[in-house]
């Protein structure tokens, strides 16, 4: 169980334990209620304390913020995944193309949860923060508790959590910013620009071109389903190999999209983590 220490600052002198949990640690009402009934509970300077207890400047609250999955929630899958950063609160890893973030591991499907179960045990906590499509490779943040997941989720699409992608497109879109709402327009998860869609903004920059293809850097400012794929197709430059928004390409067996970089502020330590993953070989071959 992850136990987090919090030192009461001067501005919270005379406040309650519950106030510190909500306004100091950023816990939701639901999380506070769950902690209230945990055996470990909250201690102040080592002594058990009720939520209504009054604290003083310099008091140290020790709070259980971890959670566990029931054993066997994932069937382990021995698939290599590069872990780029790891501490007791989160992983940042390089997800390979072809590995689903979610699925039915008990049916033998390869999922990221099954991979983590092989590495950390079947009760390992798995809360993906910036989710990637099955055939999109690259950098992903995975929280090791519901508390950290909630903190990181609130940071998404802010200066505290920035994502950059590299894409190979058919044709060169140039440089600019797409501000066009996206909504469901076809079977499955297919999205398209439509008046009734949700706001969606993507900045893009063409880095180089080769034989009718282009390497494009994309920065999503919102987080809609298939946002980069749909926006580039809207510009007339779909991803190479994207069967849903363009056409298949014998040179690559997936859509040519890679989550290249994540820069985030660690929700506990405040340290800025800047993590990147090199462009995979199948995309390098398209734009050598």
């Amino acid at each position: 169980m992850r136990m987090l220490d919090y030192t009461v600052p001067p501005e919270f002198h005379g406040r309650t334990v519950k106030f510190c949990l909500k306004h100091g640690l950023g816990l939701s009402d639901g999380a506070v209620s769950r902690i209230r009934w945990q055996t470990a509970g909250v201690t102040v300077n080592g002594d058990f304390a009720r939520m209504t207890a009054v604290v003083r400047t310099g008091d140290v609250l020790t709070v259980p913020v971890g959670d566990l999955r029931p054993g066997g929630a994932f069937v382990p899958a021995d698939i290599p995944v590069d872990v780029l950063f790891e501490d007791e609160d989160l992983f940042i890893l390089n997800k390979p193309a072809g590995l689903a973030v979610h699925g039915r591991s008990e049916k033998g499907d390869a999922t990221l949860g099954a991979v983590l179960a092989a590495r950390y045990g079947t009760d390992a906590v798995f809360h993906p923060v910036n989710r990637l499509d099955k055939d999109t490779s690259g950098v992903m943040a995975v929280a090791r508790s519901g508390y950290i997941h909630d903190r990181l989720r609130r940071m998404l699409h802010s200066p505290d959590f920035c994502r950059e992608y590299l894409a190979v497109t058919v044709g060169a879109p140039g440089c600019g910013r797409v501000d066009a709402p996206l909504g469901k327009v076809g079977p499955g998860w297919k999205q398209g620009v439509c008046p009734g869609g949700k706001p969606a903004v993507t900045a893009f920059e063409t880095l180089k071109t080769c034989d009718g293809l282009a390497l494009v850097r994309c920065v999503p400012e919102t987080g809609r389903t298939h946002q980069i794929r749909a926006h580039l197709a809207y510009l007339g430059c779909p991803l190479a190999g994207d069967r849903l928004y363009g056409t298949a390409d014998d040179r690559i067996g997936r859509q040519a999209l890679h989550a290249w970089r994540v820069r985030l502020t660690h929700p506990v330590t405040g340290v800025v983590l800047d993590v990147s993953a090199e462009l995979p070989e199948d995309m390098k071959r398209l734009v050598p």
Side-chain angles (χ1 to χ4, degrees):
M1 175 66 71
R2 174 71 162 110
M3 305 296 290
L4 196 63
D5 288 337
Y6 175 77
T7 302
V8 177
E11 60 268 28
F12 287 177
H13 181 87
R15 296 289 191 172
T16 63
V17 167
K18 183 176 181 180
F19 183 93
C20 291
L21 297 186
K22 292 183 63 176
H23 300 278
L25 288 176
L27 287 163
S28 65
D29 287 333
V32 171
S33 295
R34 287 191 295 273
I35 289 171
R36 184 199 303 268
W37 300 109
Q38 286 186 17
T39 303
V42 179
T43 63
V44 176
N45 303 325
D47 296 323
F48 175 78
R50 296 183 180 277
M51 292 293 173
T52 54
V54 174
V55 296
R56 299 181 177 184
T57 301
D59 283 348
V60 177
L61 279 63
T62 301
V63 185
V65 296
D67 48 354
L68 291 175
R69 293 187 185 278
F74 293 108
V75 178
D78 189 12
I79 298 173
V81 171
D82 293 332
V83 177
L84 308 173
F85 172 86
E86 175 185 354
D87 68 5
E88 56 189 330
D89 293 308
L90 63 97
F91 308 106
I92 302 179
L93 49 87
N94 183 13
K95 187 188 83 67
L99 180 64
V101 173
H102 292 293
R104 304 192 66 182
S105 61
E106 76 278 5
K107 298 293 186 181
D109 296 343
T111 66
L112 192 55
V115 171
L116 293 177
R119 184 169 181 146
Y120 299 102
T122 56
D123 61 352
V125 173
F126 168 55
H127 296 284
V129 182
N130 60 310
R131 301 179 184 183
L132 300 178
D133 294 337
K134 178 180 178 180
D135 287 330
T136 298
S137 57
V139 183
M140 267 192 68
V142 179
R144 301 184 72 167
S145 70
Y147 167 69
I148 296 297
H149 178 258
D150 185 58
R151 292 287 301 274
L152 288 174
R153 182 184 56 80
R154 291 188 226 170
M155 294 180 187
L156 277 170
H157 319 302
S158 78
D160 289 324
F161 199 126
C162 301
R163 299 168 295 150
E164 298 182 29
Y165 289 74
L166 292 175
V168 177
T169 62
V170 180
C175 301
R177 186 170 176 267
V178 187
D179 186 349
L182 293 174
K184 191 173 181 297
V185 296
W189 293 100
K190 188 172 184 180
Q191 306 290 305
V193 173
C194 56
K198 295 181 179 180
V201 181
T202 306
F204 61 94
E205 174 189 11
T206 298
L207 302 178
K208 68 177 180 177
T209 60
C210 180
D211 296 331
L213 301 178
L215 180 66
V216 182
R217 173 179 168 267
C218 301
V219 181
E221 298 177 19
T222 52
R224 306 304 173 202
T225 300
H226 295 179
Q227 178 174 311
I228 292 173
R229 297 166 67 185
H231 270 168
L232 288 172
Y234 171 70
L235 294 175
C237 297
L239 298 181
D242 194 337
R243 294 175 174 83
L244 187 60
Y245 294 93
T247 59
D249 190 321
D250 292 339
R251 294 170 294 180
I252 188 169
R254 64 175 179 111
Q255 71 263 7
L257 185 61
H258 177 69
W260 169 59
R261 182 184 183 192
V262 165
R263 186 174 66 256
L264 63 87
T265 301
H266 194 294
V268 173
T269 66
V271 172
V272 175
L273 304 174
D274 194 336
V275 182
S276 60
E278 186 178 359
L279 194 68
E281 290 299 323
D282 60 351
M283 290 178 63
K284 282 182 181 179
R285 288 193 296 268
L286 297 175
V287 283

